[in-house]
Amino acid sequence: MATGRTHRPATRSRGIPEATVARLPLYLRALTALSERSVPTVSSEELAAAAGVNSAKLRKDFSYLGSYGTRGVGYDVEYLVYQISRELGLTQDWPVVIVGIGNLGAALANYGGFASRGFRVAALIDADPAMAGKPVAGIPVQHTDDLEKIIDENGVSIGVIATPAGAAQPVCDRLVAAGVTSILNFAPTVLSVPDGVDVRKVDLSIELQILAFHEQRKAGEEAEAQAGAAAAPAERGNDDKGPDGDVPAVMPA
Amino acid sequence: MATGRTHRPATRSRGIPEATVARLPLYLRALTALSERSVPTVSSEELAAAAGVNSAKLRKDFSYLGSYGTRGVGYDVEYLVYQISRELGLTQDWPVVIVGIGNLGAALANYGGFASRGFRVAALIDADPAMAGKPVAGIPVQHTDDLEKIIDENGVSIGVIATPAGAAQPVCDRLVAAGVTSILNFAPTVLSVPDGVDVRKVDLSIELQILAFHEQRKAGEEAEAQAGAAAAPAERGNDDKGPDGDVPAVMPA
DNA sequence: CGTTGTGAAACACTTCACAGCA
DNA sequence: TGCTGTGAAGTGTTTCACAACG
């Protein structure tokens, strides 16, 4: 996962577990694909496969939303798309600003997945005066000086930070002061925000580091297996990282 | 989510919990910053603050690695940097290929956070013949046709997919067939891979959708509080004397 | 002292397994 | 009959709280 929370869940939603919320977009994506293929209904088994989870989890997740299925049949695709969209708040329009229009900011501005889900890039903001006025993804870049005005005039409550690490906290502070209450942070730094403001982060290098950890472990296991260990190879592995392996670092006493 | 499961007692195995592994890069980043400021030691409290977690969790996490602290003093910064790096496998060089050199791929190629942590962009690959030979981030783009050869010659085991959704699975299949065993997927699609291959995904729009969910909830609470109205329809059974029932958060009346 | 390291308790999430309904 | 919805059991994670120790 690529993400983190800053402080308490505060209100534990309407009883919907955070883990479930995090999967709703996944279900929505799978359902949207089915909808485009005009599939009328889908079973928990099929939908789960399409979303990459197991069916018991999916049914449990849906049970938090309500009883939207029909026993013996499955779920109505269109209806479920609507219910999940509503639950996620995607039936309304969310104006978003992206701050920091470098490579990543530009990629985000161009990313089609936003517009198609109720997110509208209301403005692009960058500190470089040379960028001002230059269109990126068809939207003219504006200067940081006008940040507060832009937030205010567009009623923006969600901000995306794609600046260098050093600029992230000051930008964050200004966004929050201007009324933004949700922030998606791509800068590799910990942001501190007041209570009531949500921060999620995406750190590209963290994901790679986690992969490297498992990759290293695989290599260790191979070597070990080769060395003659019997090591029962797990039947039925889903996605599985074997237990031990790897050179002993320190045996915790 | 590419997470593993360790069935089997694992009594003595030094299995580090997945949640802990996911935080190690965070600690490492904080420690690196301290190291650059030549701070010699740090307490769990200070380091936890810098990493954005609480100190008990941090100590517990470190306890899985070994006893690297000194009671009454704290942790030696340099030593801890080394231990965590080693644990994550960052003391070795990881050649990585990026497939799909659009906006996002280019952003990734330019991202400094990789190189600084043992990841080396060994090659950039794109299906567009017009891109071939064009340097991005100083690295010439190569054509998809040569994918297998590139993987093989560079001993690549980690691949990054930044292609459009439709191209992701075929690219994934080829990467895996060529020997890649860890994949970081930016395409908004579920990849299926054989056992033994790790996939982690980063979906930009999913993060925004999660924010929208919470944002909507905030707005709802506000309105509710203001209207002093009693709660929502709540069309679902949910009796169960479950954990803590519904959370206060909203002061009704 | 002050801070780590860690059992034990609390909590969160997942999976099982099957009753109940269309 | 086939599939949903869900208690209950199982597993993983966080937090508490304090003994151990430099």
Side-chain angles (χ1 to χ4, degrees):
Chain A
M1 199 177 6
T3 164
R5 199 184 16 263
T6 310
H7 43 70
R8 48 187 312 142
T11 308
R12 218 282 273 318
S13 332
R14 196 237 297 15
I16 301 181
E18 197 52 36
T20 295
V21 172
R23 281 187 296 266
L24 292 181
L26 231 52
Y27 301 143
L28 185 56
R29 193 169 71 194
L31 284 164
T32 303
L34 291 171
S35 171
E36 276 161 12
R37 293 198 284 123
S38 303
V39 176
T41 61
V42 66
S43 71
S44 64
E45 203 68 56
E46 295 165 328
L47 183 53
V53 305
N54 76 50
S55 63
K57 198 187 288 187
L58 177 143
R59 287 200 303 278
K60 188 64 129 183
D61 283 343
F62 285 0
S63 79
Y64 293 116
L65 308 183
S67 285
Y68 296 149
T70 307
R71 290 168 203 247
V73 178
Y75 300 91
D76 182 279
V77 171
E78 293 303 330
Y79 185 57
L80 205 45
V81 164
Y82 171 71
Q83 290 299 345
I84 295 179
S85 296
R86 192 178 48 77
E87 196 65 57
L88 285 171
L90 304 182
T91 50
Q92 66 185 277
D93 181 73
W94 293 103
V96 166
V97 296
I98 301 174
V99 186
I101 314 302
N103 274 294
L104 181 59
L108 294 170
N110 278 292
Y111 182 52
F114 293 166
S116 67
R117 286 187 183 77
F119 299 100
R120 180 170 48 82
V121 178
L124 305 178
I125 302 177
D126 198 280
D128 181 0
M131 294 283 296
K134 252 181 55 179
V136 170
I139 303 166
V141 175
Q142 301 182 66
H143 192 265
T144 316
D145 287 348
D146 300 323
L147 188 147
E148 286 78 7
K149 204 185 70 173
I150 296 165
I151 300 292
D152 189 56
E153 286 179 357
N154 291 278
V156 172
S157 55
I158 301 180
V160 177
I161 297 180
T163 65
Q169 185 66 58
V171 163
C172 173
D173 292 343
R174 288 182 63 185
L175 286 173
V176 170
V180 166
T181 45
S182 288
I183 289 176
L184 181 52
N185 179 33
F186 285 87
T189 189
V190 174
L191 293 179
S192 65
V193 294
D195 274 12
V197 175
D198 262 322
V199 178
R200 294 190 68 85
K201 64 180 155 39
V202 176
D203 188 317
L204 310 173
S205 95
I206 283 181
E207 298 301 321
L208 272 188
Q209 290 173 65
I210 297 171
L211 282 176
F213 172 85
H214 293 299
E215 194 61 36
Q216 173 181 241
R217 184 146 290 209
K218 285 179 208 163
E221 259 164 45
E222 244 164 59
E224 213 174 81
Q226 220 163 342
E235 283 299 338
R236 100 147 300 74
N238 280 351
D239 48 355
D240 173 284
K241 257 105 272 149
D244 33 66
D246 167 296
V247 205
V250 161
M251 246 318 191
Chain B
M1 285 126 247
T3 53
R5 188 203 58 226
T6 313
H7 46 331
R8 194 158 206 62
T11 318
R12 197 19 98 95
S13 112
R14 46 188 236 82
I16 301 178
E18 196 53 36
T20 295
V21 172
R23 280 186 295 267
L24 292 181
L26 234 51
Y27 302 142
L28 184 56
R29 192 169 71 195
L31 285 164
T32 303
L34 291 171
S35 172
E36 274 160 12
R37 291 199 285 122
S38 301
V39 176
T41 63
V42 66
S43 70
S44 64
E45 203 68 58
E46 295 164 329
L47 182 54
V53 304
N54 76 50
S55 64
K57 197 186 287 186
L58 177 143
R59 288 201 302 279
K60 189 63 131 182
D61 283 344
F62 285 0
S63 79
Y64 293 116
L65 308 183
S67 284
Y68 295 150
T70 307
R71 290 169 203 249
V73 178
Y75 301 90
D76 181 278
V77 172
E78 294 302 330
Y79 185 58
L80 205 44
V81 164
Y82 171 72
Q83 290 299 344
I84 294 179
S85 295
R86 193 178 47 77
E87 196 65 56
L88 284 170
L90 305 182
T91 50
Q92 65 187 276
D93 181 72
W94 293 104
V96 166
V97 296
I98 302 175
V99 186
I101 313 302
N103 274 296
L104 180 58
L108 294 171
N110 279 292
Y111 182 52
F114 292 166
S116 68
R117 284 187 184 77
F119 299 100
R120 179 171 48 81
V121 179
L124 306 178
I125 301 177
D126 198 280
D128 182 359
M131 294 283 296
K134 253 181 55 180
V136 170
I139 303 166
V141 175
Q142 300 179 67
H143 192 266
T144 316
D145 286 349
D146 300 323
L147 188 145
E148 287 78 8
K149 204 185 69 173
I150 297 165
I151 300 292
D152 189 54
E153 285 178 357
N154 291 279
V156 172
S157 56
I158 301 179
V160 177
I161 297 180
T163 65
Q169 184 66 58
V171 164
C172 174
D173 293 342
R174 289 182 64 185
L175 287 173
V176 170
V180 165
T181 46
S182 287
I183 290 177
L184 181 52
N185 180 33
F186 286 88
T189 189
V190 175
L191 293 179
S192 65
V193 294
D195 276 11
V197 176
D198 262 322
V199 177
R200 293 191 68 85
K201 65 178 157 38
V202 177
D203 189 318
L204 311 173
S205 95
I206 283 181
E207 299 301 321
L208 271 189
Q209 290 174 64
I210 296 170
L211 282 177
F213 172 85
H214 292 297
E215 193 61 37
Q216 174 182 238
R217 207 192 60 221
K218 287 179 208 162
E221 263 163 42
E222 243 164 59
E224 224 171 73
Q226 214 165 343
E235 68 278 339
R236 106 176 165 285
N238 181 15
D239 29 52
D240 93 275
K241 41 70 164 303
D244 70 10
D246 262 348
V247 192
V250 179
M251 267 307 246

